[in-house]
């Protein structure tokens, strides 16, 4: 078994980890993150020691542009890059967004498959070849780290794609990515495509070949490993495998597969695997999407042995049923952490272990909330602490803020709610009745927001066990064709529900759907 403390060799032959949680991962329904949340995740990616962070798609919105810039300021070790189409405006915006990065880069893509050329781009093969070469040549005047992606590579004609790759290499691309954009490939054919390209593309030995897989058939990790076996030395992936549709290659799975089966694969990444579990929990809290218990590596059951025969075997000798050690991926042996006697120092240490930078949050407030929670709950778990802190990131920069909530309900009376919110600094109060307390609360909040979106989903979950547990509420709103998710955590489930709705309304605003609130509107 691999030694948990061993740092993989620094020889040139290692697998670069390109993390796209903040770009492709964010394309996962309901996984939008605000700037502060992206910065918090980026800092954890740096602790993980990923090689490259794809921080966003700068030209797609002012919010994405700002996020890329902020990530560039927040980290120094990894290369930070922005995705870019082959258009002049995209390339220039991307380059501008990373110009303050310690290690800037750009990721230029255009589709090469017939189906995309004909139905999406309405371009000929020559047009695509010219656009790709032009964009890479333009970027190469300003930055060295240039990745080119042949979108829908796995459904492209290999001979044509080889020509495009050769030209972009000549124009200055240093990394060539061959994505399985639709998650359609199976390992043998995906691996064979890398072998073909490495053999037929002039200059192939001068670049790093990269795999980018989607999980529509559940084969993203297997396909990525097949690419590695055929010479790829970069894998594009996301924490918890989040991403467009069924998601991207899961970072924790592919990193641990490389590590656990180095005997067969011969190469490894340079990820600090002990930061995997904190990264997984941090992201789950930030986007409000819990990790399924059976998720490999980071799920609650990933190292749990239920069957008697297995338990017996593990007690006698762990390796009978365990191929990795939980501590190797940073799973704390004792998840019961701090209590009411814990001091600030212990709290800050615990935050660091959980991947949270104390300097990036309002520490006084977080510590006060932690102490208040200790008074309410007998035991405080890691996930409780993460929920408190994520609540903090979530609210930074908000236009709408929940100030007060009063509710009343009995079996004989209609539930009532009275809500006070701060809107751009000014307070407004509204009251409403409803079918239940949550309904009454939501109606009062929406009166203040002045919009009537469709509530597509509402779910409640206890973060840790017990009736005193922190409750986490997630909701999904749709307005004018835009869907956003909101999350809230609180020991009072009605407060958590209100926080989730306010969070979603703030996200709608960030996406350009401004609630019709006017701070001057009186009650
Ligand atoms: O899946 C894909 O093809 C992509 C590209 C933009 C790299 O995400
Ligand atoms: Zn993708």
């Amino acid at each position: 078994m691999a030694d948990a403390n061993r740092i993989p060799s620094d020889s040139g032959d290692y697998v670069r980890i390109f993390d796209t949680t903040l770009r492709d991962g964010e394309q996962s329904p309901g996984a939008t993150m605000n700037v502060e949340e992206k910065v918090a995740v980026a800092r954890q990616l740096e602790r993980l020691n990923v090689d490259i962070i794809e921080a966003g798609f700068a030209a797609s919105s002012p919010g994405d542009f700002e996020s890329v810039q902020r990530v560039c300021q927040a980290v120094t070790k990894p290369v930070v890059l922005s995705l870019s189409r082959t258009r002049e405006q995209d390339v220039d915006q991307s380059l501008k967004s990373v110009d303050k990065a310690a290690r800037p880069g750009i990721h230029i893509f255009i589709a090469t498959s017939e189906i995309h050329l004909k139905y999406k781009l309405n371009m000929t093969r020559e047009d695509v070849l010219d656009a790709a070469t032009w964009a890479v040549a333009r970027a190469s005047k300003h930055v060295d780290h240039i990745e080119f992606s042949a979108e829908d590579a796995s459904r492209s004609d290999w001979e044509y794609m080889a020509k495009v790759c050769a030209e972009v290499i000549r124009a200055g691309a240093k990394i060539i990515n061959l994505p399985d954009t639709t998650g359609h490939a199976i390992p043998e054919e995906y691996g064979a495509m890398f072998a073909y390209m490495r053999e037929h593309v002039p200059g192939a030995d001068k670049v790093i070949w990269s795999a980018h897989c989607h999980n529509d058939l559940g084969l993203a990790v297997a396909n990525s490993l097949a690419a590695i076996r055929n010479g790829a030395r970069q894998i594009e992936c996301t924490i918890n495998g989040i991403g467009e549709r069924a998601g991207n290659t899961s970072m924790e799975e592919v990193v641990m597969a490389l590590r656990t089966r180095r005997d067969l694969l011969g190469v490894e990444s340079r990820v600090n695997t002990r930061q995997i579990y904190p990264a997984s929990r941090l992201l789950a809290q930030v986007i409000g999407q819990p990790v399924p218990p059976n998720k490999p590596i980071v799920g609650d059951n990933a190292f749990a042995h239920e069957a008697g025969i297995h338990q017996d075997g593990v007690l006698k000798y762990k390796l009978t049923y365990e191929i990795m050690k939980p501590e190797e991926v940073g799973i704390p042996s004792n998840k019961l952490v701090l209590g009411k006697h814990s001091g600030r120092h212990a709290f800050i240490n615990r935050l660091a272990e959980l991947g949270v930078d104390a300097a990036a949050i309002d520490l006084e407030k977080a510590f006060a909330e932690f102490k208040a929670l200790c008074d309410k709950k007998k035991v405080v778990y890691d996930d409780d602490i993460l929920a408190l802190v994520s609540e903090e990131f979530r609210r930074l920069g908000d236009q709408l803020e929940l100030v007060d909530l009063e509710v009343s309900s009995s079996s004989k009376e209609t539930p009532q709610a009275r809500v006070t919110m701060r809107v751009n600094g000014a307070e407004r109060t509204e009251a409403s009745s409803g079918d239940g307390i949550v309904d009454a609360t939501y109606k009062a909040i929406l009166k203040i927001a002045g919009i009537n979106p469709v509530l597509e989903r509402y779910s409640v979950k206890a973060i840790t066990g017990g009736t005193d547990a922190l409750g986490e509420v997630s909701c999904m709103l749709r307005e004018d064709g835009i869907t956003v998710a909101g999350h809230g955590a609180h020991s009072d489930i009605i407060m958590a529900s209100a926080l989730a709705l306010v969070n979603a309304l703030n996200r709608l605003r960030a996406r350009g759907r401004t609630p019709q609130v006017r701070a001057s509107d009186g009650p």
Side-chain angles (χ1 to χ4, degrees), residues 20 23-24 27 179 181 212-214 244 248:
T20 184
R23 199 278 297 170
D24 221 343
Q27 288 174 218
T181 304
H212 175 116
C213 300
H214 283 266
E244 188 81 39
N248 287 62

Side-chain angles (χ1 to χ4, degrees), residues 412-424:
K412 296 195 187 73
E413 280 168 22
T414 312
Q416 306 282 341
R418 193 180 145 83
V419 175
T420 302
M421 301 209 329
R422 199 169 293 120
V423 181
N424 287 332

Side-chain angles (χ1 to χ4, degrees), residues 23-24 83 107 109 149 151-152 177 179-181 212 214 236:
R23 199 278 297 170
D24 221 343
L83 183 67
H107 176 192
F109 79 101
S149 282
E151 191 191 9
D152 206 17
N177 183 39
D180 181 26
T181 304
H212 175 116
H214 283 266
E236 307 199 355

